[in-house]
Amino acid sequence: EESLQMWDLNKRLEAYLARVKFLEEENEVLRAEIQSTKSSPAGDSWRVKYEEELRALRDALDHAFREKCTAELARDNLYEEVQQVKSRCQKEQAAREEAKKQLSLSRKELEEERRAQIWLKERAVQLEKEVEALLEVHEEEKAGLDQEIASFSHSLESFRCAPVAFQPVEVEDYSKRLSEIWKGAVETYKTEVAQLEGSLCQAKENLWKAVEDNQQSQLQLQHLEKDLAGLKARKEMLEESLAQQWQEQRGEAEKFQLAMEALEQEQQSLRVQIARVLEDRQQLMHLKMSLSLEVATYRTLLEAESTRLQMPAG
């Protein structure tokens, strides 16, 4: 029984030793592979390639960040320019409203001048009619005076001797007074006509000024409308360019985000592979230690058995 046990133990020891030898050979192969991968230029090239790719991606990320900063600066500049354009449009709109107000005021003044001109024309016609009526009355009075003078002269001729109390100076005084009244009426008419002509000339000048102001305000309004149209077109172009830059920046950001996600996935996969290699190596180390412990136990058992077998012989 002891010999059978020893034979079984020897068989098991041989199997364990063969397994330990096989595992040691595999461990040596793996160690050599790890050392070769560590020291070989292929591993270095892989690491260098990985570092170069990581450096290139970092450079691309820095370039994208710089482009993002420049795009943000361009966006801020465009926003400021759009705000300036808006403020200018508001100013142009206010100027346009002011020009419209001035135009309406000038139109009102023009209407008032036209009404004043019409009133002056009507007043001139009325004064002409009054002057004509005064002339007719004066002619009638003059004719009556002529008739009275003629009748008076006829009555004077009927008398041979004129009485002493008669004074023909009164008729002359009366005619002088009538001539003075006539001259005064003519002078007043002339002054009124001159005043009316002056007011008419002033009304015409005011009318021409109002027309010129209206034309200038219309020209200014046309210029303002042209400037406003140009500013609106420029604003639309700036908004389109800003939207296009936003879309381009968003597309580049999405591309860089995808690249970063791919790099992170690759880094995660490399970490998983390194963790697997380390875990396999640790398992091999544990297995080696367990096998070395088993070998040590079997050696102690064999030594104890050999000592026990040699004891009776001694």
Side-chain angles (χ1 to χ4, degrees):
E1 289 178 358
E2 288 180 355
S3 64
L4 286 173
Q5 288 179 0
M6 288 296 295
W7 184 75
D8 190 12
L9 288 172
N10 287 325
K11 290 292 185 183
R12 289 177 66 186
L13 182 60
E14 287 178 358
Y16 278 114
L17 290 173
R19 188 177 177 185
V20 167
K21 187 177 181 181
F22 177 71
L23 290 173
E24 285 180 351
E25 287 177 355
E26 284 188 353
N27 195 7
E28 291 294 331
V29 170
L30 288 171
R31 188 178 296 169
E33 287 180 356
I34 289 169
Q35 292 293 329
S36 63
T37 53
K38 286 183 178 179
S39 62
S40 65
D44 293 336
S45 64
W46 178 77
R47 186 176 295 173
V48 168
K49 185 178 180 181
Y50 177 72
E51 288 178 355
E52 286 179 356
E53 288 181 356
L54 188 60
R55 192 180 297 110
L57 288 171
R58 284 176 180 173
D59 293 334
L61 185 62
D62 293 334
H63 183 67
F65 184 74
R66 286 194 295 271
E67 287 183 352
K68 183 181 178 182
C69 291
T70 53
E72 286 178 355
L73 288 173
R75 181 193 63 188
D76 294 334
N77 292 325
L78 288 172
Y79 181 75
E80 289 178 358
E81 193 171 356
V82 167
Q83 291 296 324
Q84 290 178 1
V85 169
K86 284 183 179 178
S87 64
R88 190 173 177 184
C89 287
Q90 289 177 359
K91 289 180 181 177
E92 294 292 336
Q93 189 70 25
R96 186 177 178 182
E97 294 294 332
E98 188 67 24
K100 286 183 178 178
K101 289 180 180 178
Q102 293 291 332
L103 183 61
S104 62
L105 291 173
S106 61
R107 285 178 180 174
K108 288 180 181 178
E109 290 178 357
L110 182 63
E111 291 294 330
E112 290 178 356
E113 292 293 335
R114 286 178 181 174
R115 290 175 183 174
Q117 187 178 5
I118 292 168
W119 181 81
L120 288 172
K121 287 181 179 179
E122 291 177 355
R123 182 64 178 170
V125 171
Q126 187 177 1
L127 289 172
E128 287 178 355
K129 289 180 179 179
E130 289 179 358
V131 168
E132 289 178 355
L134 288 172
L135 287 173
E136 289 179 356
V137 171
H138 182 68
E139 290 291 335
E140 289 177 357
E141 289 179 354
K142 188 178 179 182
L145 288 172
D146 291 333
Q147 288 179 1
E148 287 180 359
I149 289 166
S151 63
F152 186 72
S153 61
H154 286 299
S155 62
L156 285 175
E157 289 177 356
S158 62
F159 292 100
R160 293 181 179 177
C161 60
V164 179
F166 182 75
Q167 295 179 357
V169 182
E170 294 178 359
V171 178
E172 292 178 358
D173 293 332
Y174 186 69
S175 62
K176 287 180 181 179
R177 287 174 66 187
L178 287 175
S179 63
E180 287 176 359
I181 292 167
W182 171 250
K183 287 180 181 180
V186 171
E187 291 294 331
T188 53
Y189 173 72
K190 286 181 179 180
T191 53
E192 288 180 358
V193 170
Q195 290 177 359
L196 290 172
E197 287 179 354
S199 61
L200 185 61
C201 292
Q202 187 68 30
K204 286 181 179 180
E205 289 179 359
N206 293 325
L207 182 62
W208 282 111
K209 285 181 181 179
V211 171
E212 288 178 357
D213 292 333
N214 190 7
Q215 290 177 358
Q216 289 179 0
S217 60
Q218 286 180 359
L219 291 173
Q220 188 176 3
L221 183 62
Q222 290 176 1
H223 287 300
L224 291 173
E225 287 178 353
K226 288 180 181 179
D227 293 335
L228 184 62
L231 290 172
K232 284 182 179 179
R234 188 176 180 185
K235 180 182 176 183
E236 290 176 357
M237 289 175 64
L238 289 173
E239 287 179 352
E240 288 177 359
S241 63
L242 183 62
Q244 189 176 2
Q245 287 182 1
W246 267 104
Q247 289 178 0
E248 291 178 357
Q249 186 179 359
R250 190 177 294 172
E252 290 178 357
E254 289 177 356
K255 287 180 182 178
F256 284 115
Q257 187 68 28
L258 292 173
M260 290 295 294
E261 289 177 357
L263 286 173
E264 287 178 357
Q265 289 178 1
E266 188 176 357
Q267 188 178 4
Q268 192 68 26
S269 63
L270 289 172
R271 286 179 181 174
V272 171
Q273 290 178 4
I274 292 168
R276 286 179 183 174
V277 171
L278 292 174
E279 188 177 358
D280 292 335
R281 185 177 179 183
Q282 191 174 3
Q283 288 178 1
L284 288 173
M285 292 294 292
H286 285 296
L287 185 60
K288 183 179 179 182
M289 289 174 67
S290 63
L291 288 173
S292 64
L293 287 172
E294 287 181 1
V295 169
T297 54
Y298 277 111
R299 281 179 182 174
T300 54
L301 288 172
L302 288 172
E303 288 176 358
E305 188 67 25
S306 63
T307 54
R308 190 176 66 82
L309 291 173
Q310 289 176 3
M311 285 290 290

